[in-house]
Amino acid sequence: MKIGVVKAYLLKEIIDLVRSRMIFMVYIMPSMILLLFGYGIKMEVTHARTIILDNDNSHFSRMLIDKFTHSKYFDAKVSHMSEDEALHEIKKAKADILIIVPPSFEKRLLHFQKSEIGVFVDAAFPTRGYTMESYAKGVILDTVLSVAKEKGIDYTKSLIFVNNRNLFNQAMRDEDAIVPGLLGLVLLVAPAILAALLIVKEKEKGTIFNFYSSAVSKIEFITAKLLPAFFLHSLNIFILLLIALYIFNVPFRGSFYLYWFSSEIYILISLGIGTLVSVITKRQIVAVVLTIIITIIPGFLYSGILMPISSMRGESYIEAHIFPVMYFNHIIYDTFLIGEGLSSFKNVLYLCILLFYAFVLLVLGTLFLKKEFK
């Protein structure tokens, strides 16, 4: 490889990036994605509009109502409407949950008899509905335990208690769960889009003929094209880390060097994807659309942000293991929330897989690049 040739092409690429103002996209786009999605994606459901029909009007039913009223997850109000009217409120999207306390609720509890509480949840969006249902069950069970404690009942003999502790994200913050995963999406999409434009724009402008007619090798050409993008996006690794730490207050418990090294490899993977797209396409719009399809859709579906990979089955589970975002995000979640580092065999394995992806994609991009007009 001729260093002088690479330096000349490198200078040309930097000047082109500055003139075309694409250099601003390198930093604005990733930061905007992280900020918009970091604030916009919320898995927690709070202030669910709740209607409570108290048909018992007893001390224990009022205790249950008090639990709902003082929970941040519910905006509860007691109503004297009929059940049909209350259900109609849910149909009109004026309420999210209906709680029906049956008559003799307190009496049956004191006599250790089975008592049913009606819980109707708007499950038009299943994930939101399941979350609200879980919250409602938690409040009801907490009330039952409070009743047993108030009456001095030895509930340890009749009930199983789960003394749970939340590890790694003790406060169950959405930001801690979402923001690290978004880094995998951002560092996959932004470098790939930039790399996808680097060669195809030469084809559209006709300047690719300078490469065809020169003695510059394919490796020198690809290296000179990707180095500016690589160094520019390497700075994003630190910018995104600062945003995560100081704007979203996400903890960082792991190795900074593991975070930095794995992110650099991941940027090479993203650049490899963009280069491959740029080589096989002839129009910039086609290259951008194809890159977005290849990166954004898998980035969301198989990154573990919206659903755990372990819960996937069949084809989706296989597809999740084909795309590199899953491996990178596992390492990123470890560096932010867990802190196992290289002492975890899975982290080491996934780091090796990322290296393999980077090597294969860059080699394929170089091989598919033709040094002739067709």
Side-chain angles (χ1 to χ4, degrees):
M1 182 184 294
K2 300 174 184 178
I3 302 300
V5 174
V6 174
K7 286 175 63 177
Y9 260 100
L10 193 62
L11 181 61
K12 171 187 172 295
E13 287 302 317
I14 294 174
I15 293 174
D16 284 347
L17 286 173
V18 174
R19 283 178 177 174
S20 63
R21 298 184 180 178
M22 289 179 63
I23 194 169
F24 297 108
M25 186 189 74
V26 171
Y27 299 111
I28 294 175
M29 180 182 174
S31 299
M32 288 300 295
I33 292 177
L34 187 60
L35 290 171
L36 290 173
F37 285 90
Y39 284 118
I41 299 178
K42 296 293 181 184
M43 308 302 291
E44 185 181 46
V45 180
T46 57
H47 303 291
R49 298 165 298 175
T50 306
I51 298 175
I52 301 177
L53 303 183
D54 186 3
N55 296 321
D56 191 42
N57 196 25
S58 62
H59 170 66
F60 289 162
S61 67
R62 287 191 291 272
M63 183 184 295
L64 176 63
I65 293 169
D66 189 63
K67 294 279 188 182
F68 275 100
T69 304
H70 290 87
S71 171
K72 70 173 182 177
Y73 301 110
F74 304 96
D75 284 339
K77 64 177 182 179
V78 180
S79 177
H80 300 288
M81 63 179 70
S82 67
E83 292 184 16
D84 290 339
E85 291 173 332
L87 288 171
H88 194 60
E89 290 293 299
I90 296 181
K91 290 181 181 179
K92 293 189 297 182
K94 292 184 177 180
D96 301 309
I97 303 177
L98 169 61
I99 308 293
I100 302 176
V101 182
S104 305
F105 172 67
E106 180 180 72
K107 181 179 178 181
R108 297 182 71 86
L109 276 181
L110 294 176
H111 289 82
F112 298 98
Q113 296 177 347
K114 181 180 179 181
S115 182
E116 296 182 351
I117 295 178
V119 179
F120 297 85
V121 179
D122 180 359
F125 297 96
T127 302
R128 176 180 168 86
Y130 179 77
T131 302
M132 291 189 294
E133 178 191 354
S134 301
Y135 290 163
K137 287 181 178 179
V139 171
I140 293 170
L141 290 175
D142 184 52
T143 304
V144 171
L145 296 180
S146 298
V147 169
K149 192 172 183 179
E150 181 179 299
K151 291 301 178 181
I153 301 172
D154 189 5
Y155 47 79
T156 57
K157 294 182 179 179
S158 56
L159 298 174
I160 296 175
F161 277 88
V162 179
N163 187 12
N164 69 298
R165 294 290 185 272
N166 298 320
L167 302 178
F168 314 129
N169 187 3
Q170 291 87 344
M172 301 291 284
R173 296 178 69 241
D174 282 333
E175 291 83 357
D176 293 359
I178 298 297
V179 172
L182 285 174
L183 294 182
L185 176 65
V186 171
L187 293 178
L188 180 67
V189 175
I193 291 178
L194 180 60
L197 296 173
L198 293 178
I199 298 176
V200 73
K201 72 176 181 179
E202 301 262 10
K203 296 178 183 178
E204 281 195 354
K205 293 179 179 179
T207 54
I208 191 71
F209 287 100
N210 294 330
F211 166 63
Y212 291 157
S213 60
S214 69
V216 179
S217 67
K218 293 194 291 184
I219 295 179
E220 291 169 346
F221 184 71
I222 292 291
T223 302
K225 283 287 184 182
L226 295 186
L227 274 180
F230 175 75
F231 287 125
L232 289 173
H233 278 289
S234 294
L235 183 57
N236 263 330
I237 294 173
F238 305 100
I239 294 174
L240 297 176
L241 176 64
L242 293 175
I243 292 174
L245 295 181
Y246 295 105
I247 294 182
F248 292 103
N249 296 315
V250 180
F252 192 88
R253 303 189 177 104
S255 168
F256 170 78
Y257 296 105
L258 177 61
Y259 165 79
W260 169 72
F261 183 63
S262 61
S263 298
E264 295 284 14
I265 297 172
Y266 193 61
I267 287 176
L268 288 176
I269 293 173
S270 181
L271 293 175
I273 294 172
T275 302
L276 194 57
V277 171
S278 190
V279 166
I280 64 176
T281 55
K282 296 182 179 180
R283 293 289 181 267
Q284 293 186 59
I285 185 63
V286 176
V288 171
V289 172
L290 184 58
T291 304
I292 289 174
I293 293 174
I294 294 174
T295 56
I296 289 184
I297 295 176
F300 262 116
L301 295 180
Y302 305 123
S303 63
I305 300 175
L306 301 179
M307 63 192 78
I309 305 299
S310 57
S311 66
M312 297 180 181
R313 295 291 182 271
E315 292 80 0
S316 62
Y317 185 81
I318 296 172
E319 290 174 7
H321 285 75
I322 291 175
F323 292 97
V325 63
M326 184 203 77
Y327 305 105
F328 176 70
N329 270 10
H330 179 87
I331 297 174
I332 289 300
Y333 275 110
D334 178 86
T335 56
F336 274 93
L337 302 180
I338 303 172
E340 281 291 303
L342 295 179
S343 61
S344 168
F345 172 74
K346 183 173 282 190
N347 286 338
V348 176
L349 175 62
Y350 284 3
L351 197 61
C352 294
I353 292 174
L354 291 178
L355 284 168
F356 174 76
Y357 268 102
F359 175 77
V360 169
L361 288 170
L362 291 173
V363 168
L364 287 177
T366 305
L367 291 176
F368 279 106
L369 177 64
K370 302 298 182 182
K371 201 174 186 314
E372 56 186 0
F373 177 69
K374 284 189 177 182

